[in-house]
Amino acid sequence: MILIHDLQFSWPRDGFRLSIPELSISAGETVAITGASGCGKTTLLNLIAGICLPQSGTLRVADTVISDLPDAARREFRLRNAGLVFQDFRLIEYLTTYDNVLLPCRLSPAVNPTADFRARASALLAQAGLSAHSRKSVTRLSQGERQRVAICRAILLRPPLLLADEPTGNLDPETAEQILNLLLNQAAEHGATLVMVTHDRSLLSRFRRVIAFESFRRGPDGAGP
Amino acid sequence: MMRQALFLALQSVRWYRWRTLTIVLSLSLALWLPITVRLLLLQFRTDITARANFTPLVVGAAGSRTDLVLHALYLDTPAPAATTMAEAEYIQQTGFATAIPLHIRYRTQSAGGAPGVPIVGTSLEYFDFRGLRVREGQMFSVLGECVLGAAAAHRLGLRPGDTILSAPRNVLSLAGDYPLRLSITGVLAATHSADDYVVFTDSKTAWVIDGIGHGHQNLTQATEDDLLLSRDSDSITASAAVLPYTEITPENIDSFHFHGEPGTFPLTAVIAIPESEKSRTLLLGRYGTERSLTQCLKPPEVVDDLLRIVFRAEQLVLISSLVMGVITVMLLTLVLSLSLRLREAEMQTMFRLGCSRATIGMLFGAEIVLMLTAATILALVAAWLTRLIAAESLRTLLF
């Protein structure tokens, strides 16, 4: 699913530099990425999603070289292939729970909120135990409920890749466990690859693979996993 | 995509309702003022020019052109210097035009809690000329009778069979303009013009109010002594206790008489209705050469001069509105840019999910378009309502 070869990325302003000689993640694999704050975990997710572009090297996602795509195609690729889950949920406060889940359908002329997607949004909310809240504003939901809405949004278009950036970072352990279960279940159900950044060591055992990220930072000679 | 953008924009403006309401109201106010000023002035122009265009010529004493024309058109502006009945007779004698005398120097006393309205002394030709017809009752036919304009009747709460008193021009006047009780014989149909707001009577009745015509008790040897200053075999001298009648009744109407030559009786204006364009030109020529103490005016020209001044004032109002509008737009731009900054995270989220910056721009653009549309509709509706409400007040100002 994801193939990285000799990838170099830097933020010129603060001198941050990320170097990944080799990284390979298979389709359907669940991968946890750990590492100290500022080591580049979120940057890697952004690179995989095509939000940032590497200065050099190859980044192949779902058999597509992301860096070769023009802007519009990269956005389209991201919308269809990568479901993103953020630590701070990033829900749109003026939309209802249901409309937040449908949001990806409203952001691109290529995808429309058809009856199929509407039914799917309702079904996802039901699976996440949020049916009763579907017409409520997301501001009236608890933190855990909000993250579940964000996960439903990420998987609405059935992306083959789920990228989660510390999705349990703001949650209590019990809720964090529920959220991880939801992510893993959804990934398993759809055969999606899950790449999740986390600081929570108690969750690592749930992943098929754990990548300790320190090995990549400023490490032209650092070994890949 | 536009449909989706509008959906998201609608949700957003609903959610940020107070911000939206403030922006929409501010914009509406900024738009409402110039639109309303423009509409009201157009209404003013239409009202004033329609009546002027329908009034061929106005004749009166030399003096302010504007005062004379407005007086003859709207029947309630201060009376200009008086002319005389001789002017109306002169116009008739030329054979160029029909002369309609106007005598507007008095008002009625207040009635029904409403202030008095002007008393217009004129001839029956005026009613044909203005297309006025009696809605209730009948037209006045003898001295001391009057008909009311529709709005005047409504304001004063009077109807045929009632009476109304004229008000003396000066309470200190000892010379004669005593209040006269007028019998109301009819109420005119509404015309939404100045004619609705006045009381019409015959010119002669107006002269009676003026003190030129009056009726009083005949003095005879039998008259009681307290009404006389002296009595001898040849003559009887009345005292001030012999008052003129203050009401003209079938019993006393025969005693009414006028002192002086009819040609000297005062009028405040004369409306001249020429037989043809040629007659009009000839009459204007006569007034240009033979009648130096009077003037013959074309109301549309005078009104145009007046409107030029009014519309110069309008320009000032519109410029002020424009400046206010620019300030409003600048402030709203500031509010919107601050609002966008506060929504930076939302834009970032949309971008990360796969939305193009152009689409994000469209979403926020749709919000602005929605608010602009709402503000424009609100301003237009408010301007329309203001025009409806103010049209009557505007007429009151005019009439």
Side-chain angles (χ1 to χ4, degrees):
Chain A
M1 170 56 71
I2 300 169
L3 280 173
I4 296 176
H5 174 68
D6 200 18
L7 182 142
Q8 303 290 329
F9 177 83
S10 63
W11 291 115
R13 280 189 184 173
D14 61 5
F16 172 86
R17 185 163 154 257
L18 179 69
S19 177
I20 304 177
E22 288 293 333
L23 176 64
S24 163
I25 297 173
S26 310
E29 198 173 5
T30 55
V31 178
I33 297 176
T34 61
S37 294
C39 71
K41 304 182 296 293
T42 300
T43 304
L44 175 62
L45 291 190
N46 286 341
L47 285 164
I48 295 170
I51 295 168
C52 305
L53 286 178
Q55 274 84 34
S56 65
T58 307
L59 171 57
R60 189 181 290 271
V61 178
D63 295 328
T64 304
V65 179
I66 297 270
S67 51
D68 287 351
L69 294 175
D71 274 0
R74 208 164 59 244
R75 280 196 303 274
E76 198 62 43
F77 179 86
R78 179 160 72 245
L79 189 71
R80 287 179 179 282
N81 293 285
L84 299 173
V85 182
F86 308 97
Q87 180 179 1
D88 53 357
F89 327 127
R90 298 275 183 128
L91 299 175
I92 307 298
E93 64 177 355
Y94 55 79
L95 295 178
T96 61
T97 302
Y98 172 79
D99 284 319
N100 261 290
V101 176
L102 265 183
L103 185 64
C105 296
R106 301 190 190 277
L107 297 180
S108 167
V111 191
N112 277 316
T114 58
D116 280 353
F117 282 124
R118 290 176 192 279
R120 180 164 164 70
S122 298
L124 285 171
L125 284 172
Q127 278 180 32
L130 293 169
S131 286
H133 303 299
S134 66
R135 297 293 162 193
K136 280 185 192 168
S137 162
V138 287
T139 55
R140 294 171 65 188
L141 303 182
S142 69
Q143 303 281 74
E145 288 168 336
R146 289 184 201 193
Q147 194 59 293
R148 279 187 270 163
V149 174
I151 292 167
C152 292
R153 178 180 69 186
I155 58 182
L156 177 78
L157 301 182
R158 294 189 180 90
L161 180 60
L162 277 175
L163 301 173
D165 189 0
E166 299 190 47
T168 59
N170 286 347
L171 306 176
D172 60 81
E174 191 183 337
T175 311
E177 185 69 25
Q178 289 171 3
I179 291 299
L180 181 61
N181 285 339
L182 181 63
L183 268 173
L184 289 169
N185 289 342
Q186 290 295 335
E189 192 176 316
H190 302 109
T193 305
L194 172 64
V195 180
M196 178 171 134
V197 168
T198 182
H199 285 117
D200 190 344
R201 297 197 169 274
S202 67
L203 302 177
L204 297 181
S205 61
R206 309 285 304 277
F207 291 84
R208 190 184 297 174
R209 183 150 58 121
V210 176
I211 299 172
F213 208 75
E214 283 82 357
S215 54
F216 295 131
R217 180 121 194 244
R218 293 189 180 86
D221 303 322
Chain B
M1 195 58 223
M2 183 51 77
R3 199 170 147 209
Q4 304 308 327
L6 275 175
F7 172 82
L8 291 173
L10 266 174
Q11 301 305 314
S12 169
V13 296
R14 275 178 53 194
W15 180 259
Y16 300 110
R17 58 180 70 93
W18 292 114
R19 183 211 63 179
T20 304
L21 199 63
T22 307
I23 290 175
V24 166
L25 285 179
S26 309
L27 273 173
S28 300
L29 272 176
L31 290 170
W32 169 81
L33 188 61
I35 293 172
T36 305
V37 167
R38 189 84 191 138
L39 282 177
L40 288 179
L41 285 173
L42 279 174
Q43 174 81 45
F44 176 77
R45 186 203 288 262
T46 306
D47 285 348
I48 199 169
T49 53
R51 199 161 168 90
N53 289 337
F54 191 68
T55 309
L57 295 170
V58 169
V59 176
S64 165
R65 287 156 39 94
T66 310
D67 283 357
L68 177 59
V69 166
L70 290 182
H71 176 77
L73 292 181
Y74 296 106
L75 314 173
D76 193 24
T77 52
T83 183
T84 62
M85 190 60 192
E87 213 55 51
E89 289 167 354
Y90 170 77
I91 293 167
Q92 286 290 148
Q93 282 162 13
T94 61
F96 296 144
T98 302
I100 299 175
L102 289 176
H103 177 289
I104 315 160
R105 298 174 72 189
Y106 293 91
R107 301 176 74 87
T108 66
Q109 292 188 13
S110 55
V117 298
I119 298 171
V120 179
T122 185
S123 62
L124 292 175
E125 283 83 2
Y126 185 85
F127 298 89
D128 292 335
F129 169 61
R130 293 284 187 211
L132 304 177
R133 59 176 186 80
V134 177
R135 185 191 70 200
E136 189 184 354
Q138 59 190 31
M139 183 55 72
F140 56 76
S141 57
V142 297
L143 210 59
E145 291 181 342
C146 67
V147 291
L148 304 185
H154 179 71
R155 280 183 187 176
L156 299 170
L158 296 172
R159 54 190 309 274
D162 293 338
T163 59
I164 188 162
L165 280 169
S166 69
R169 280 203 303 169
N170 184 342
V171 289
L172 300 176
S173 171
L174 300 175
D177 53 334
Y178 293 99
L180 181 69
R181 188 179 299 279
L182 297 163
S183 302
I184 299 163
T185 59
V187 175
L188 300 174
T191 56
H192 304 291
S193 70
D195 299 319
D196 290 351
Y197 297 83
V198 297
V199 170
F200 287 102
T201 188
D202 184 64
S203 310
K204 286 180 182 168
T205 305
W207 290 326
V208 170
I209 300 170
D210 241 343
I212 296 165
H214 58 258
H216 48 67
Q217 185 181 347
N218 282 329
L219 301 177
T220 66
Q221 291 295 337
T223 304
E224 290 174 18
D225 288 345
D226 56 356
L227 297 178
L228 304 178
L229 287 175
S230 67
R231 181 203 311 258
D232 57 36
S233 56
D234 298 326
S235 65
I236 297 170
T237 308
S239 75
V242 179
L243 291 172
Y245 291 121
T246 55
E247 184 172 7
I248 303 169
T249 62
E251 291 75 33
N252 68 21
I253 191 167
D254 290 337
S255 76
F256 273 79
H257 55 276
F258 292 86
H259 293 275
E261 283 299 311
T264 62
F265 295 170
L267 295 176
T268 50
V270 179
I271 293 175
I273 309 163
E275 305 296 323
S276 64
E277 190 57 35
K278 182 181 172 187
S279 303
R280 183 169 180 261
T281 310
L282 288 169
L283 187 63
L284 281 166
R286 288 279 181 92
Y287 271 92
T289 54
E290 294 178 7
R291 315 286 289 182
S292 58
L293 294 177
T294 50
Q295 55 182 338
C296 181
L297 302 171
K298 293 185 253 183
E301 284 184 1
V302 177
V303 166
D304 275 351
D305 288 345
L306 179 66
L307 285 178
R308 263 195 285 279
I309 298 167
V310 171
F311 281 87
R312 239 175 272 153
E314 183 206 4
Q315 295 302 318
L316 283 177
V317 174
L318 289 179
I319 289 169
S320 325
S321 305
L322 191 69
V323 170
M324 203 181 83
V326 169
I327 293 169
T328 307
V329 167
M330 286 167 70
L331 285 173
L332 290 181
T333 308
L334 181 68
V335 170
L336 282 173
S337 62
L338 289 174
S339 165
L340 288 184
R341 193 168 291 181
L342 287 174
R343 294 170 66 184
E344 180 70 29
E346 178 188 331
M347 287 189 270
Q348 274 297 327
T349 303
M350 290 182 176
F351 175 72
R352 282 166 177 258
L353 292 179
C355 186
S356 71
R357 294 201 189 281
T359 306
I360 294 171
M362 192 195 289
L363 296 180
F364 286 92
E367 273 185 43
I368 293 169
V369 168
L370 276 179
M371 287 189 282
L372 278 175
T373 307
T376 307
I377 291 170
L378 193 62
L380 288 174
V381 169
W384 177 70
L385 285 175
T386 311
R387 185 179 165 234
L388 277 186
I389 295 162
E392 192 57 31
S393 311
L394 198 65
R395 285 201 185 101
T396 311
L397 277 177
L398 271 176
F399 310 150

